[in-house]
Amino acid sequence: MKNVAVIGAGTMGNGIAHTFAQNGFKVQLIDTNDLALKKALETISKNLDRMVAKETITEAIKNTTLSNITTFTNIKEGVEYASLVIEAATENVDLKLTIFKQLDDACPDDTILATNTSSISITHIASITTRPHMVIGMHFMNPVPVMPLVEIIKGYNTSEEVIKTIMDISKKLGKIPVEVHDFPGFVANRILMPMINESIETLYNGVAGVHEIDTVMKLGMAHPMGPLQLADFIGLDVCLSILHVMYDGFKNPKYAPCPLLVNMVKAGKLGVKSGEGFYDYSESKKAEKISKQFLK
């Protein structure tokens, strides 16, 4: 399995493409937006330059990695020879169902279809296809080239052969795959998002300020990044979407998003990507500094 297609050229998509390409896979990076593809290649190149500067890779490895990536704006053309497709589009169930229907129609019959969803049911996504036994979750952590964990989520019909294949591929990427079951939020976000939401509630209730809340969690709980800062890094709209999925799935009020989070998303304060969230990233250098700090 050497041809891998990645759907979506955003933060997660370009990170997944980078990781596969650096490990010898031929990657077809697909996005309907030409500008997004250009930006993704620029991001990958900058991240590789950082790795060269740190002497973790050579200039030759950087060049080989970039040569392993080909971009497409047409799904059918991009997945024509793919043995594995990883969807990394926005965390929206309707969008993902539409993409998987297209992939099912366009991909060879033996292509494994994976999704990088962080909360949406694999079984639900698989149900739109004619190959539910070949649909699986591969939830990478951000930033993908750095973070070792991959949550491997088995849908109700996912075959053991597909699970083994994806576990093996994850290890070839230098990742540590952990198999989990198909419940809303899986493990990572089922634990992380209530913590972030409770941090927002703590701010909303006036218990402490943004800096104070994050400082307590960093110094007291040894978190590398405070929960409010992490929410900014993830994207407040993404956090809200995941909480909605878990609330709808479990019908448990503990997953109901804090009103402050809802209002911030409505106001367009989404974190790093919008220039403002719980912190101010209006100067581009501030956002870049925060990202570099986390990438160290």
Side-chain angles (χ1 to χ4, degrees):
M1 185 177 287
K2 283 294 179 183
N3 284 295
V4 176
V6 179
I7 311 295
T11 300
M12 297 304 295
N14 74 59
I16 294 167
H18 171 167
T19 301
F20 272 94
Q22 190 178 322
N23 285 278
F25 291 84
K26 295 295 183 182
V27 178
Q28 294 81 52
L29 181 58
I30 305 165
D31 198 292
T32 55
N33 188 323
D34 267 322
L35 186 60
L37 289 168
K38 181 180 178 182
K39 185 177 179 181
L41 291 178
E42 289 173 352
T43 298
I44 293 169
S45 183
K46 286 179 182 177
N47 287 338
L48 289 167
D49 283 338
R50 191 177 295 117
M51 296 171 79
V52 171
K54 292 180 179 178
E55 298 184 347
T56 55
I57 65 169
T58 64
E59 187 74 28
I61 290 175
K62 172 198 167 181
N63 293 334
T64 300
T65 299
L66 291 173
S67 70
N68 280 338
I69 302 172
T70 308
T71 60
F72 293 85
T73 55
N74 183 287
I75 282 184
K76 188 173 182 179
E77 291 177 3
V79 303
E80 187 176 3
Y81 301 108
S83 299
L84 168 65
V85 178
I86 304 171
E87 169 273 319
T90 304
E91 194 73 351
N92 177 288
V93 64
D94 292 331
L95 175 61
K96 290 184 186 294
L97 292 176
T98 298
I99 290 172
F100 269 78
K101 179 59 179 171
Q102 291 177 308
L103 292 175
D104 190 44
D105 293 339
C107 290
D109 292 340
D110 59 350
T111 302
I112 296 173
L113 305 182
T115 173
N116 182 59
T117 181
S118 58
S119 61
I120 297 168
S121 168
I122 307 304
T123 303
H124 187 190
I125 292 172
S127 70
I128 204 73
T129 75
T130 59
R131 61 182 95 188
H133 62 293
M134 300 188 74
V135 178
I136 193 167
M138 287 186 81
H139 179 209
F140 290 85
M141 304 294 124
N142 184 29
V144 181
V146 176
M147 301 292 277
L149 175 66
V150 184
E151 275 188 307
I152 306 299
I153 307 102
K154 175 185 177 182
Y156 187 83
N157 293 300
T158 309
S159 73
E160 292 299 324
E161 181 182 357
V162 167
I163 294 170
K164 183 180 184 305
T165 298
I166 295 303
M167 295 285 279
D168 289 344
I169 287 173
S170 299
K171 291 173 185 176
K172 288 178 182 177
L173 297 175
K175 302 299 184 184
I176 300 172
V178 176
E179 183 181 341
V180 305
H181 294 295
D182 189 15
F183 287 87
F186 316 129
V187 171
N189 280 323
R190 185 168 177 170
I191 295 170
L192 174 63
M193 286 302 152
M195 183 190 73
I196 286 177
N197 197 44
E198 191 61 32
S199 301
I200 300 170
E201 286 278 3
T202 303
L203 176 66
Y204 183 57
N205 291 330
V207 178
V210 171
H211 177 74
E212 288 76 16
I213 291 168
D214 278 353
T215 299
V216 167
M217 296 303 290
K218 285 191 286 186
L219 300 185
M221 283 68 183
H223 290 193
M225 183 180 284
L228 298 176
Q229 187 180 13
L230 179 57
D232 276 355
F233 190 79
I234 294 169
L236 301 192
D237 53 336
V238 176
C239 293
L240 180 61
S241 176
I242 295 169
L243 285 165
H244 278 315
V245 168
M246 293 197 295
Y247 182 69
D248 290 342
F250 292 115
K251 307 300 182 188
N252 188 322
K254 74 178 181 179
Y255 298 114
C258 176
L260 176 58
L261 174 61
V262 174
N263 283 337
M264 289 181 71
V265 172
K266 285 180 180 177
K269 296 183 178 182
L270 309 180
V272 173
K273 61 185 171 185
S274 71
E276 184 179 359
F278 292 106
Y279 293 87
D280 183 4
Y281 308 94
S282 54
E283 297 176 27
S284 60
K285 289 184 179 179
K286 286 185 180 179
E288 186 177 349
K289 182 180 179 181
I290 250 325
S291 298
K292 285 182 178 179
Q293 179 187 17
F294 190 62
L295 286 168
K296 284 182 179 179

